[in-house]
Amino acid sequence: MKKIQKKIIAGNWKMSLDYQQSISLARSIYKKLKKRRTKNDILLFPDFLSFPEISRNFKSSGISYGVQDVSPFSLGSYTGEVPLESLKKMNCSYILLGHSERRKYFDEDRLVSAKIRNILSNSDIKPILCIGETIEERRKGKTLELLEKQLRDAFSETKSLKGKRLIIAYEPVWAIGSGKIPTSSDVALAHEGIVNIVSKIFKANKPKELGILYGGSVTVDNFQDFKKIESVSGLLIGGSSLIADDFLEIVDNF
Ligand code: PGA
């Protein structure tokens, strides 16, 4: 597996903004970005209601858009779900899956494998799988065990990733929104573990390229720490992605 070439800086807006706020943040990032060149790929993940307008109106060569979830099912009688079939017809390049907030509140542990199967077998949209340990798991020394379980579960319905590019976001649950970050060596160890586990799961059918992002309390003040870690292919940013200038400072300098 080769490491992905271009770095990815992704902004996960969660459900932090309403429709108007999302549109104005997207406009602000888009306008500021037009005035500069960036060597990194920028990914923005607004909520479902803002996504169509943002992805249609703020197209730029440096920005790709994605959503924060998708239905595990194809079109049918599934009240309240968002179909992959519609996202395929929009400017949607990525889908976040397995985020710890979805695992905690929305049964994602159980649904993630079917969502990944649906995306990979029915579209060219790229899933970004989030995994990460809780503080209890870390204290018990069970981080790698947990990462392996989450990866095996997520890909239990996927036989091969041959020729594909896989992106994983390593986000320790205890680091998300807490202001706490892991040490560089802990991140490097987790990333090394993820590479080994993916190879072990897929063997001859492993992806051609693997990108591992770090996520959890990344700010303008600490992002350089992650830049120094060889295995980090980019960042998944929550809170700091809601401030256009902060987000773009990270984009420019990562
Ligand atoms: P945070 O969120 O940067 O606000 O910690 C990261 C994430 O949940 O993806």
Side-chain angles (χ1 to χ4, degrees):
M1 291 179 292
K2 281 201 309 201
K3 196 179 149 188
I4 59 167
Q5 300 243 299
K6 259 189 161 183
K7 297 255 173 75
I8 291 175
I9 309 295
N12 173 13
W13 296 358
K14 311 190 179 186
M15 201 181 74
S16 305
L17 306 173
D18 68 17
Y19 176 75
Q20 295 300 347
Q21 291 168 328
S22 296
I23 304 293
S24 82
L25 176 61
R27 182 178 292 113
S28 167
I29 291 176
Y30 173 75
K31 281 194 176 157
K32 286 169 194 275
L33 204 67
K34 269 175 121 177
K35 299 198 191 107
R36 55 237 264 177
R37 276 227 193 112
T38 163
K39 55 184 189 327
N40 298 321
D41 280 333
I42 301 168
L43 275 49
L44 298 180
F45 292 89
D47 71 275
F48 277 126
L49 294 181
S50 321
F51 170 81
E53 179 162 346
I54 291 176
S55 59
R56 193 182 317 118
N57 292 338
F58 302 115
K59 279 193 188 141
S60 144
S61 59
I63 313 180
S64 301
Y65 291 101
V67 292
Q68 304 168 18
D69 189 27
V70 70
S71 177
F73 302 112
S74 295
L75 293 178
S77 302
Y78 302 103
T79 303
E81 285 292 87
V82 173
L84 179 72
E85 288 76 2
S86 299
L87 297 170
K88 279 163 66 175
K89 301 201 172 91
M90 297 182 184
N91 182 20
C92 180
S93 308
Y94 293 88
I95 301 179
L96 282 183
L97 293 164
H99 192 281
S100 69
E101 287 148 17
R102 294 210 62 83
R103 292 182 191 270
K104 182 168 173 196
Y105 301 116
F106 303 104
D107 210 10
E108 185 81 349
D109 281 331
R110 193 173 63 78
L111 298 173
V112 65
S113 61
K115 291 178 181 178
I116 291 186
R117 175 181 38 78
N118 186 19
I119 298 169
L120 292 177
S121 44
N122 298 312
S123 77
D124 293 324
I125 299 176
K126 292 172 262 323
I128 297 187
L129 174 68
C130 305
I131 54 175
E133 80 286 1
T134 61
I135 195 66
E136 291 76 30
E137 284 149 354
R138 170 154 291 275
R139 286 199 183 117
K140 286 187 198 146
K142 292 193 181 266
T143 299
L144 288 179
E145 204 176 300
L146 186 275
L147 297 179
E148 174 152 2
K149 181 175 181 342
Q150 288 185 327
L151 283 163
R152 284 195 183 280
D153 286 352
F155 293 114
S156 60
E157 300 181 48
T158 303
K159 288 204 170 61
S160 173
L161 289 177
K162 218 172 180 169
K164 296 204 191 274
R165 151 191 281 222
L166 174 64
I167 301 172
I168 306 282
Y170 169 58
E171 300 202 301
V173 177
W174 52 272
I176 295 176
S178 65
K180 296 190 189 115
I181 53 169
T183 63
S184 300
S185 63
D186 284 340
V187 174
L189 273 175
H191 282 203
E192 189 189 306
I194 292 168
V195 174
N196 293 336
I197 297 162
V198 170
S199 299
K200 200 159 84 178
I201 295 176
F202 287 101
K203 300 189 178 78
N205 295 319
K206 53 179 170 280
K208 190 165 93 195
E209 290 183 299
L210 177 63
I212 311 178
L213 315 183
Y214 169 79
S217 292
V218 174
T219 65
V220 277
D221 299 319
N222 65 24
F223 75 93
Q224 298 280 5
D225 296 355
F226 302 105
K227 190 179 172 181
K228 291 182 203 133
I229 308 170
E230 168 50 34
S231 60
V232 174
S233 290
L235 301 168
L236 180 56
I237 308 174
S240 294
S241 72
L242 304 175
I243 306 159
D245 286 327
D246 283 11
F247 183 65
L248 289 172
E249 185 175 333
I250 300 175
V251 165
D252 283 345
N253 296 296
F254 195 75

